[in-house]
Amino acid sequence: MRNFKLSRRRMLRGMAGGASIAVGLPLLEAMMNTHGDALAGGDALPLRFMTWYWADGIVIDRWEPEQVGDDWQLSEQLAPLANVKDHVSVVSGMANRTPGNLLVTHHEGMAGLSGHPLVQAGGFNTNASGPTIDQVIADTLEGTTPIRAAHVRVSKRQSTDGDGGTNYIAMSHREQGGGIVAQTPQVDPQEVWQLLFGEFVPAPDDSDLRVSILDYVREDANALKSNLGTTDKQRVDAHLEGVYELEQKILATPPSCDLPDLPTETNTDTGGVEPISSTNEAMARLIAYAFVCDITRVASFQLKRFVSATVFDEIDAGEIHHNASHQGPGSATYQAGITYQMQKFADLLEIFAETEDLNGDTLLDTSIIYATSDCSTGASHSVQRQPILVAGGGRGYLRHPGIHYQTTPFNGNHNNPNGEENMSDVLLACLQAFDPTAESVGSGALESTTPLTDIVA
Amino acid sequence: MALGCGGGSANAGDTDTDSAGTDGSDSSPGTDATGTDSDTDGETDSDTDDPTPEGFVPPPGGMRKLTTREYISSVELMLGDAAATAAIPPDDIAQEGFDAVGAAILALPADTIELYERSATAVADAVVTDPSTIQGYVPCVEEGANAACYREVATTIGRLAYRRTLSQDEIEALAAIGAAGQQWADDGSFMTGLRYQLMGILQAPSFLYIQEVGEVDDDTGFRRLTGTELATRVSFFLTGHTPTLELLDAAESGALDDPDELRTMAEAMVANPEARTALESFFAEAYRLRSLAEAPKNAELFPNFTPELGEMMKNETLLLLYDIVWDRDADFRELFNARHTYVNDQLAELYGIDSPGSGELYTRVDWPANQRRAGYTSQASFLTWQSGPRRNSPTKRGLYIQERILCNEIPPPDPSVELDLPDGEGLTLKELLEMHLENPGCASCHGLTDPLGFAFENYDAVGAFRTEDNGLPIETDGEVAGIGMWTDAEQLGDILAADPRTGDCLIENFMRGSLGQTPTDDTHPAVVDLGLEFADSGYSVQSLLVDMVAHPLFRLVDEPK
């Protein structure tokens, strides 16, 4: 498989008369200054950010911890986080303030990643109206790494019919070419490897040629634009931003670390069963490696989409998780599916905890991971009590050990739960770790100007 | 309604009595208004265009990205089989259930540009390894060729790729990429330069995006596709790939401006075997056949379901379509009420019918009368895909019929709906789901879907026949306002076949699946108009393909979006 993927470069070598460049890349230490407290160029040590998403909600009283504040204990559905509990804060009882006339089911919950209300596009189709927090943070880091951000998804299953629009196709949205563009994730770990590391495999240097082709692409794109309307012009401009980023990557200095092996996992079904755990692990390892190598500092990670036909076969769910959610909070299959997704999150956090970062910290210490779902109670699609987890140390930015911040106790009504305060306050707290001058996140009723400081150190 | 029932279908005639809801259906408002005039025009036009239907506003012009299958089949035509096999364009992102709609409206995420570069590189590598196809177009291509040959490649391959004649500047720019590549190679290889030149062509937005902008048409006030834009649309619609040089020649000579010549050309393209492949792609997407092998099924409950069986289910539906559309050129609506199907031994075993003894080969068989099956919605492909891993989903089955067979839009649920179904102890699935229908908030949507799905409760989540659910007898009768009343799946199939929306919906699905357009109230008059032509032809899909190409719906666009 690896040979196949690399055939282009192997062939190029042949063509260039065997002039291959077999340079071993320097080790990680080369990235640090001599004191080990900053990058070699004098910049501060990197802080990373990732959004993580699980689908179809929670059972409120089995997910939210009973105790509030510092002395909280893991709830039934958060039990998988036992090994990393000190690195996690739970935020419960917050309201997703999407206006009632925009509630479509599931789609509105994606605002938990952006603080922007959705735009309806007919039926079960909605589009995002603003960038997600990962992209806002990537904007603050523009130009610091060869790659802006990585976007991955584990389950390949789709909504069986009906759901569409950008909120359905991606969890990450970016202002690109003047519009809001869904950053469709990759589902094959080998593809993720290619996008993160493939460019840095030593090969004959044809970067000038490739860049000259991109110049030609630009000219062609600009000529195309002259006949188009506003929407399509934005699409061409979005294309051109992608061209610019590819060019930056081609011209980037290779990272100062050895490249990881190409993963063997390809996220291929066997007998109709998706390899969820091994794909989750492979994706987590690739992102962890790219973070430590400082190839990128931002990622989004979607375990599965809302309403997807995903079956958690590894726990013998035997039923589509979304269908199980509609059997109500009492469904044992639904309950087990939530705990299972929390286990996948825990697996990822443990990989970050095992990964040593540049100065001896763990990658979990030096990252912020914001996790949420698309609703609280799946059966009623309520967006009151949006479930939120904030994990990692943020290089000392986040409170450690983590707390359980709760706005108001659960009223006991699963289908119509109570929520208070603005969930976007958590997003603003995350953004200020990267841009202390940031004053707001989101827009409309969901906009926040008051960061949730309780989770900050 | 009687018009369509005689169109070659042996079994559509007995439906009127059972389908009270279809008569005077409110879903085809254009029927009365346009019925009389456009009927005859469609038949008699000689050197004039089809008239533009009253009230019709064409979909916006603009650009749409090639779908992956359009990209790959274009590469195959231009650069050969090995190049097509090497092509790895990024996956399509469907919208409204069709890849082409996503390709028409979504902007590309930034990293997709790199994926297109990688695909271009893989294709170019395949071409320099086996240049036989490109040599057929551009004979000067060979190792040691003169740099002037890059101009010829740009002229001819560029023209195929961009679906128009390139300007001199464009040719020079592409030739310069080839020359720079040749200079870069240590050994001055022509083929290395060709490789970079092809990478340039395949990354160009002129290749990746189809432009459909047109020129203002004084007769209609809308915009008429230019000759090459129309050639491109016709070619992808009927052959699945970029237009051939011959078609581009015809377009640039103005031949497609003549409606008769356009029809003649379209008829020839429909007669070409490529049309069958292109139509099969459309059907596979529209009838949800592409991923059947990966349908999630519980292995304990359905140990017989395997990816191979999923493929067989797909073949069964495609064979019925092939029989109707190509072998017999029969009434398309038989798809929904045919009393026969195509099985091999394994499918026969699934259905519990006599084995044809043909092994892997498919044989035409009649459905056993006691199973009450008719058409696609009784086939395992539909029944399997529109089910859960453990049990049937009457909601999904009904929703698909509403949205993709009749093209009715089902509104999303009322956000205040509380959905807390009790467990199914001692109930059939139908009884359990009927609780939806007692709650007014749920019933507003589920009342339009679930009763349709109940008609198929005799068939389990992989399509096998059953007479009991949860140990209780099954009831398949039902009624949905605006559709009709039935006693079983066979009768519902007849109702679907007789419903005037069924023919119109195929046209709307072509708009989505082949043209990337979203049907709207503005386009509805054109759909109704074409639907009448479809009915006049006895619902011949072969005729519809030609009629569509000649219709203003296909040839006009509104202001670019």
Side-chain angles (χ1 to χ4, degrees):
Chain A
M1 211 51 199
R2 182 171 191 166
N3 283 342
F4 170 74
K5 289 278 183 185
L6 298 178
S7 61
R8 166 170 77 90
R9 304 198 182 252
R10 290 183 345 132
M11 188 178 124
L12 261 179
R13 259 172 228 165
M15 286 179 154
S20 78
I21 306 159
V23 179
L25 291 167
L27 296 174
L28 273 180
E29 284 71 25
M31 296 168 72
M32 308 277 293
N33 68 6
T34 47
H35 306 289
D37 58 2
L39 290 182
D43 290 338
L45 288 168
L47 174 62
R48 291 79 176 208
F49 184 74
M50 177 160 74
T51 47
W52 192 88
Y53 165 89
W54 79 98
D56 306 327
I58 57 170
V59 176
I60 296 168
D61 54 6
R62 292 172 186 266
W63 188 88
E64 293 182 359
E66 262 180 61
Q67 309 80 6
V68 176
D70 289 316
D71 295 323
W72 64 285
Q73 299 301 311
L74 291 164
S75 62
E76 173 193 318
Q77 294 183 339
L78 292 175
L81 296 165
N83 291 339
V84 288
K85 174 176 179 286
D86 285 353
H87 298 272
V88 176
S89 283
V90 183
V91 180
S92 69
M94 284 241 168
N96 172 337
R97 293 182 173 169
T98 299
N101 64 337
L102 294 180
L103 299 178
V104 175
T105 72
H106 297 287
H107 294 247
E108 55 273 15
M110 302 309 280
L113 295 158
S114 70
H116 292 279
L118 56 78
V119 180
Q120 278 175 336
F124 292 106
N125 299 280
T126 74
N127 295 322
S129 71
T132 47
I133 188 67
D134 53 312
Q135 295 295 337
V136 176
I137 287 172
D139 286 342
T140 73
L141 299 168
E142 192 74 56
T144 54
T145 54
I147 294 170
R148 179 184 162 96
H151 305 292
V152 306
R153 176 187 293 148
V154 175
S155 172
K156 305 177 293 300
R157 298 276 189 262
Q158 311 209 10
S159 165
T160 43
D161 243 325
D163 286 289
T166 68
N167 281 312
Y168 166 69
I169 62 180
M171 67 181 276
S172 178
H173 289 82
R174 168 180 174 191
E175 280 187 299
Q176 193 186 323
I180 300 298
V181 181
Q183 303 298 304
T184 327
Q186 303 299 326
V187 296
D188 175 356
Q190 292 193 342
E191 191 68 60
V192 174
W193 186 93
Q194 281 291 342
L195 284 170
L196 287 172
F197 308 109
E199 186 60 39
F200 307 114
V201 174
D205 182 7
D206 60 351
S207 54
D208 287 350
L209 282 168
R210 290 167 66 204
V211 167
S212 75
I213 288 173
L214 296 181
D215 287 339
Y216 167 76
V217 166
R218 275 194 194 96
E219 272 176 44
D220 185 50
N222 284 322
L224 191 69
K225 252 168 48 175
S226 60
N227 296 325
L228 299 171
T230 314
T231 309
D232 283 339
K233 276 186 180 143
Q234 282 187 350
R235 294 170 71 208
V236 176
D237 284 336
H239 191 113
L240 287 168
E241 279 196 42
V243 169
Y244 172 78
E245 264 163 50
L246 175 56
E247 184 179 68
Q248 294 307 300
K249 192 168 167 181
I250 290 169
L251 298 173
T253 310
S256 305
C257 56
D258 292 322
L259 298 182
D261 289 337
L262 185 72
T264 52
E265 180 59 61
T266 57
N267 198 3
T268 305
D269 294 4
T270 309
V273 174
E274 291 194 287
I276 289 181
S277 281
S278 55
T279 301
N280 185 63
E281 183 186 330
M283 294 293 199
R285 289 195 187 284
L286 287 166
I287 290 172
Y289 204 103
F291 277 178
V292 173
C293 274
D294 212 23
I295 284 176
T296 187
R297 297 184 187 178
V298 176
S300 74
F301 196 120
Q302 186 168 36
L303 191 62
K304 85 170 199 70
R305 284 187 263 198
F306 59 79
V307 199
S308 72
T310 307
V311 180
F312 296 134
D313 287 293
E314 289 169 328
I315 52 167
D316 293 324
E319 178 61 280
I320 291 172
H321 182 67
H322 171 246
N323 291 1
S325 77
H326 278 277
Q327 289 159 13
S331 160
T333 306
Y334 179 47
Q335 292 169 11
I338 296 162
T339 308
Y340 172 82
Q341 293 186 82
M342 291 301 108
Q343 180 65 57
K344 296 308 106 189
F345 187 47
D347 292 350
L348 177 145
L349 295 182
E350 288 184 32
I351 285 169
F352 274 44
E354 289 161 11
T355 303
E356 194 181 322
D357 203 351
L358 299 174
N359 59 342
D361 289 337
T362 74
L363 183 60
L364 192 55
D365 293 326
T366 62
S367 302
I368 295 175
I369 301 135
Y370 170 93
T372 192
S373 187
D374 51 275
C375 54
S376 53
T377 299
S380 66
H381 315 110
S382 174
V383 290
Q384 297 301 322
R385 307 192 80 80
Q386 182 105 8
I388 296 170
L389 299 169
V390 181
R395 289 198 186 274
Y397 177 81
L398 292 175
R399 188 153 160 172
H400 184 88
I403 65 160
H404 174 206
Y405 176 83
Q406 185 170 63
T407 60
T408 179
F410 175 40
N411 65 6
N413 184 343
H414 285 279
N415 281 329
N416 194 14
N418 55 324
E420 284 179 11
E421 301 183 27
N422 182 358
M423 65 171 179
S424 308
D425 293 351
V426 187
L427 298 176
L428 185 55
C430 291
L431 175 58
Q432 288 186 344
F434 294 83
D435 178 8
T437 67
E439 289 175 353
S440 76
V441 158
S443 61
L446 291 96
E447 182 183 11
S448 166
T449 54
T450 52
L452 182 71
T453 51
D454 299 69
I455 57 167
V456 175
Chain B
M1 294 311 99
L3 180 71
C5 296
S9 165
N11 37 35
D14 60 344
T15 55
D16 287 349
T17 48
D18 305 313
S19 54
T22 62
D23 277 352
S25 161
D26 55 2
S27 67
S28 49
T31 311
D32 295 335
T34 57
T36 43
D37 26 279
S38 51
D39 256 0
T40 44
D41 291 349
E43 301 292 313
T44 58
D45 62 344
S46 50
D47 55 355
T48 55
D49 289 359
D50 283 10
T52 306
E54 184 76 29
F56 163 66
V57 180
M63 66 170 202
R64 63 186 180 92
K65 192 177 68 71
L66 295 178
T67 62
T68 59
R69 63 178 193 273
E70 288 169 338
Y71 177 108
I72 291 170
S73 49
S74 298
V75 166
E76 184 178 357
L77 180 90
M78 299 186 293
L79 302 168
D81 291 345
T85 306
I88 41 171
D91 291 341
D92 288 316
I93 309 290
Q95 294 283 273
E96 297 175 30
F98 289 94
D99 291 339
V101 177
I105 61 178
L106 295 172
L108 293 180
D111 55 14
T112 301
I113 307 309
E114 181 175 348
L115 302 182
Y116 275 120
E117 189 204 35
R118 201 182 315 145
S119 180
T121 308
V123 170
D125 283 347
V127 174
V128 297
T129 306
D130 172 13
S132 53
T133 301
I134 195 172
Q135 283 164 338
Y137 290 107
V138 192
C140 63
V141 166
E142 60 183 341
E143 195 55 88
N146 189 300
C149 189
Y150 291 127
R151 251 178 228 108
E152 294 192 34
V153 172
T155 304
T156 303
I157 301 301
R159 186 172 178 229
L160 281 168
Y162 300 177
R163 308 165 288 267
R164 59 176 170 79
T165 297
L166 274 60
S167 71
Q168 205 53 45
D169 285 352
E170 286 176 314
I171 291 169
E172 292 305 326
L174 283 172
I177 294 173
Q182 183 173 21
Q183 199 170 22
W184 173 82
D186 289 349
D187 55 358
S189 158
F190 173 85
M191 295 306 261
T192 302
L194 176 69
R195 176 177 182 276
Y196 287 97
Q197 185 181 27
L198 292 175
M199 284 166 61
I201 291 172
L202 295 169
Q203 288 179 74
S206 285
F207 169 62
L208 296 175
Y209 296 100
I210 297 170
Q211 258 208 93
E212 298 171 325
V213 173
E215 293 160 345
V216 175
D217 175 41
D218 293 333
D219 293 346
T220 62
F222 300 119
R223 302 173 74 92
R224 176 174 297 270
L225 294 183
T226 65
T228 49
E229 287 172 351
L230 181 60
T232 298
R233 191 179 269 195
V234 174
S235 186
F236 280 113
F237 182 50
L238 295 180
T239 70
H241 57 64
T242 195
T244 60
L245 293 174
E246 294 71 29
L247 185 57
L248 288 170
D249 286 344
E252 287 173 347
S253 74
L256 273 55
D257 299 341
D258 177 347
D260 286 342
E261 235 176 291
L262 177 63
R263 285 191 81 93
T264 307
M265 216 171 281
E267 279 161 8
M269 289 165 91
V270 169
N272 187 308
E274 284 178 334
R276 303 183 180 208
T277 312
L279 194 63
E280 188 174 295
S281 271
F282 165 78
F283 284 143
E285 182 173 35
Y287 298 115
R288 304 290 182 259
L289 307 176
R290 298 200 299 203
S291 304
L292 267 171
E294 293 126 47
K297 294 294 160 189
N298 184 287
E300 281 169 36
L301 296 174
F302 303 105
N304 56 343
F305 184 81
T306 59
E308 294 72 30
L309 187 64
E311 279 297 307
M312 293 171 194
M313 294 172 176
K314 169 185 175 174
N315 292 339
E316 178 189 3
T317 299
L318 289 175
L319 283 166
L320 179 61
L321 281 159
Y322 198 91
D323 163 56
I324 295 169
V325 175
W326 300 110
D327 281 346
R328 293 187 290 121
D329 195 14
D331 187 325
F332 164 72
R333 302 168 310 159
E334 277 190 45
L335 179 63
F336 305 106
N337 72 348
R339 300 301 200 261
H340 68 280
T341 191
Y342 290 83
V343 297
N344 60 14
D345 287 353
Q346 211 172 321
L347 284 168
E349 191 184 332
L350 170 72
Y351 289 132
I353 61 181
D354 293 341
S355 170
S358 54
E360 298 278 302
L361 298 177
Y362 296 82
T363 307
R364 177 182 163 139
V365 296
D366 288 333
W367 288 118
N370 70 311
Q371 294 198 2
R372 313 304 295 160
R373 296 193 197 239
Y376 164 64
T377 54
S378 290
Q379 289 184 326
S381 59
F382 169 80
L383 297 165
T384 298
W385 189 249
Q386 308 297 347
S387 293
R390 301 180 69 90
R391 61 179 187 183
N392 291 356
S393 175
T395 307
K396 282 170 65 178
R397 289 173 175 180
L399 183 65
Y400 180 86
I401 289 171
Q402 286 277 16
E403 290 192 327
R404 294 285 172 251
I405 296 178
L406 299 173
C407 288
N408 291 328
E409 194 178 315
I410 301 296
D414 180 334
S416 67
V417 166
E418 294 194 6
L419 217 163
D420 223 352
L421 286 179
D423 69 31
E425 198 72 32
L427 298 172
T428 65
L429 181 56
K430 181 178 177 183
E431 288 167 331
L432 182 68
L433 287 174
E434 275 175 342
M435 293 180 177
H436 275 150
L437 307 180
E438 287 160 16
N439 174 331
C442 301
S444 62
C445 310
H446 284 274
L448 297 170
T449 56
D450 298 8
L452 289 165
F454 295 147
F456 308 101
E457 278 298 273
N458 273 141
Y459 322 113
D460 72 14
V462 295
F465 186 66
R466 62 180 192 175
T467 53
E468 288 186 346
D469 174 31
N470 211 1
L472 298 165
I474 284 167
E475 295 166 1
T476 57
D477 60 317
E479 177 177 12
V480 167
I483 292 180
M485 211 171 155
W486 58 87
T487 57
D488 55 34
E490 192 182 70
Q491 276 194 350
L492 178 55
D494 286 337
I495 290 171
L496 294 176
D499 195 303
R501 289 167 293 193
T502 300
D504 291 354
C505 189
L506 176 67
I507 296 163
E508 295 199 345
N509 283 337
F510 273 130
M511 288 174 68
R512 293 188 180 95
S514 301
L515 307 181
Q517 299 173 335
T518 299
T520 62
D521 290 348
D522 284 341
T523 58
H524 192 66
V527 171
V528 171
D529 190 48
L530 259 171
L532 291 169
E533 292 183 36
F534 192 23
D536 280 349
S537 74
Y539 293 96
S540 154
V541 173
Q542 292 189 40
S543 299
L544 176 63
L545 293 173
V546 176
D547 288 339
M548 273 192 78
V549 167
H551 198 272
L553 177 67
F554 198 88
R555 304 179 60 184
L556 298 178
V557 293
D558 204 356
E559 290 296 310
K561 67 181 188 314

